[in-house]
Amino acid sequence: MLTRFLKDKLAEEERSSALNLRKFRTQWRAVLREAKAEELRQDVEILSQTFARAMDCKDGVIESLAADLEQAEEQHGRALHSHLHNIDRLLQLQRCRLSCLEQGYGAQLEALMAEFEAERRSILEQHERESCCLRDVALAAQQNHAKKDREATLRFQSARDDIRNKSLQEKQHSRLQLDGRAERLWERFQSAMQSYAEATEHQKMAYEALKEKDKKSSREIETQAKKLRKLQAQRILRLAEMCRRLETEEEKVLPFYASSLAEGEQRDARRVLEETPAEPLAQAARDYVGLERFWQRFSKAKLEERALERERAALSRQNRHLRELLRHCLAVISVGPRVLAEPNPHLAVTHKS
């Protein structure tokens, strides 16, 4: 019971302590609110005074700016009035200038129109005179042409009739002559044919004998041709050996030209060579493909020969030119009556300014 009593007492004390604590906090909050409100009132008073001073400064600035704006508007009004006055004066001057220009333009236009009318009348009069003259000339030319045309037509018709009659007569005469000549020629042909048949009887027999002889000669010629070809091969080998002795070191190492064809062009050339030719000339050229290197060296030799000939011709021209210069120099050195009589550029007199 004592414990229960103590517990109840303790609970009641706790409730009282909590209630007193709440009351204390409430009163403390009220005190803090009053203190804070006083501080805020002081801050508001300070801020209101600061705002009032700022408003006074702003009002002063606004009044000064308003005064400046009034002065600026007044100055702008005076400048605008002066500008409008100047523009009016310029417009007046421009109107005067335009009126003067219009008057001058009108005077020049009238003068040009008068000059144009006078020139136009003179051109029209001249055109009329020239037109009349040209019409007369054209009429005379037409009459002359018609007269000459009639005369030429008459001459042509008469010449055509004469030529036709003459050609008919010559044709008849030629026909008669040709008929007689044809008969005579036929008779001569028959007689010649008969005599030819009689004369060629012995020649025919001789022909048969010659034919047999020709066969024997053909066999002999073939044998001799084989011997000749063999001799020509030996001659070619001797010539090749002689050419080999005359070659330079560079020609012995690189005897042929390097191909100037691109790879694609070389492939096309090889493909063309591999194809079977259809023309006889191409087939014959294909049989001599092995001589391509020989023709390359032959072409190289011919090109070098042509180059040497051109160089020789150039040296000859240079030699003639040098001889001519030498002759002129000798002519200048040895001045005689003949040299003085001829024009000499070295004896020309030059005038210096």
Side-chain angles (χ1 to χ4, degrees):
M1 290 175 63
L2 181 60
T3 303
R4 186 181 298 169
F5 174 76
L6 290 173
K7 288 183 180 178
D8 294 336
K9 191 66 173 176
L10 180 60
E12 186 178 358
E13 287 294 334
E14 287 178 356
R15 286 194 296 273
S16 298
S17 297
L19 179 61
N20 292 327
L21 182 61
R22 284 196 293 275
K23 289 180 179 179
F24 176 74
R25 288 179 179 175
T26 302
Q27 292 178 1
W28 180 249
R29 287 194 188 98
V31 172
L32 290 176
R33 286 194 190 95
E34 290 178 359
K36 190 66 175 176
E38 187 65 26
E39 291 178 0
L40 291 174
R41 287 191 190 93
Q42 291 177 3
D43 293 339
V44 167
E45 185 68 23
I46 293 168
L47 289 173
S48 63
Q49 292 176 3
T50 304
F51 179 74
R53 287 195 298 271
M55 287 295 296
D56 294 336
C57 293
K58 296 291 184 183
D59 291 338
V61 172
I62 290 170
E63 289 177 358
S64 64
L65 291 175
D68 293 339
L69 182 61
E70 290 178 358
Q71 292 178 2
E73 287 180 354
E74 185 178 358
Q75 292 177 0
H76 174 69
R78 290 195 297 271
L80 180 63
H81 180 71
S82 176
H83 176 66
L84 293 175
H85 179 68
N86 292 330
I87 289 174
D88 292 337
R89 290 180 61 191
L90 289 174
L91 288 174
Q92 186 66 27
L93 292 173
Q94 184 67 16
R95 291 191 188 95
C96 295
R97 180 174 174 273
L98 287 175
S99 62
C100 294
L101 290 175
E102 287 178 356
Q103 292 176 1
Y105 172 75
Q108 292 180 1
L109 182 62
E110 291 177 358
L112 288 173
M113 289 180 66
E115 185 179 358
F116 171 75
E117 290 295 333
E119 188 175 357
R120 182 172 177 272
R121 286 193 298 273
S122 64
I123 290 172
L124 289 175
E125 292 175 357
Q126 184 179 0
H127 172 69
E128 188 65 26
R129 291 194 299 272
E130 291 180 354
S131 298
C132 295
C133 182
L134 289 175
R135 283 195 294 270
D136 296 339
V137 171
L139 181 61
Q142 290 179 358
Q143 293 176 357
N144 190 14
H145 176 70
K147 182 179 179 181
K148 290 184 178 179
D149 187 40
R150 288 193 298 272
E151 292 177 356
T153 304
L154 293 175
R155 288 197 300 270
F156 169 73
Q157 290 177 356
S158 62
R160 184 181 62 183
D161 295 336
D162 295 338
I163 292 170
R164 183 182 296 173
N165 296 328
K166 187 176 180 181
S167 62
L168 289 174
Q169 293 176 1
E170 290 179 354
K171 186 177 181 180
Q172 291 177 359
H173 183 67
S174 300
R175 183 178 295 176
L176 294 174
Q177 288 181 354
L178 289 173
D179 290 339
R181 187 179 296 176
E183 292 178 357
R184 291 193 298 272
L185 288 173
W186 179 252
E187 292 176 357
R188 289 174 60 185
F189 173 72
Q190 292 293 334
S191 61
M193 185 176 178
Q194 186 176 0
S195 61
Y196 174 76
E198 293 175 355
T200 55
E201 186 67 26
H202 300 288
Q203 295 179 359
K204 187 176 181 181
M205 296 173 64
Y207 170 73
E208 294 294 334
L210 290 173
K211 189 176 181 182
E212 293 295 331
K213 186 176 180 182
D214 181 65
K215 290 180 180 179
K216 294 179 181 179
S217 301
S218 299
R219 288 193 292 271
E220 292 178 359
I221 289 170
E222 187 176 358
T223 304
Q224 295 296 330
K226 290 180 179 179
K227 294 180 180 180
L228 183 61
R229 284 197 294 272
K230 185 176 180 181
L231 292 174
Q232 288 178 352
Q234 294 175 357
R235 182 170 176 270
I236 290 172
L237 291 175
R238 288 196 300 272
L239 289 174
E241 185 178 358
M242 294 173 63
C243 292
R244 186 67 178 174
R245 293 175 184 173
L246 296 174
E247 287 179 352
T248 62
E249 294 296 331
E250 183 181 0
E251 290 176 346
K252 289 179 181 180
V253 177
L254 297 173
F256 309 109
Y257 286 117
S259 178
S260 61
L261 299 177
E263 294 182 1
E265 295 176 346
Q266 291 179 2
R267 288 196 298 270
D268 295 339
R270 285 195 296 270
R271 189 182 69 253
V272 170
L273 291 175
E274 291 174 359
E275 293 178 356
T276 304
E279 298 180 357
L281 182 59
Q283 293 177 359
R286 189 181 180 86
D287 296 337
Y288 295 95
V289 174
L291 295 175
E292 183 178 2
R293 294 294 186 181
F294 167 75
W295 288 117
Q296 286 182 1
R297 298 186 68 178
F298 182 78
S299 300
K300 181 179 178 182
K302 281 292 183 183
L303 288 174
E304 289 180 354
E305 183 182 358
R306 294 295 299 275
L308 290 173
E309 288 179 356
R310 290 187 177 181
E311 187 176 0
R312 182 180 180 182
L315 291 173
S316 299
R317 290 194 297 270
Q318 187 177 3
N319 190 12
R320 287 196 298 271
H321 181 65
L322 291 174
R323 287 178 181 274
E324 188 68 20
L325 291 176
L326 181 61
R327 188 177 67 81
H328 281 295
C329 290
L330 293 175
V332 171
I333 292 170
S334 59
V335 179
R338 182 180 178 183
V339 176
L340 292 174
E342 296 178 355
N344 194 336
H346 298 282
L347 295 177
V349 179
T350 59
H351 297 279
K352 295 184 179 180
S353 60

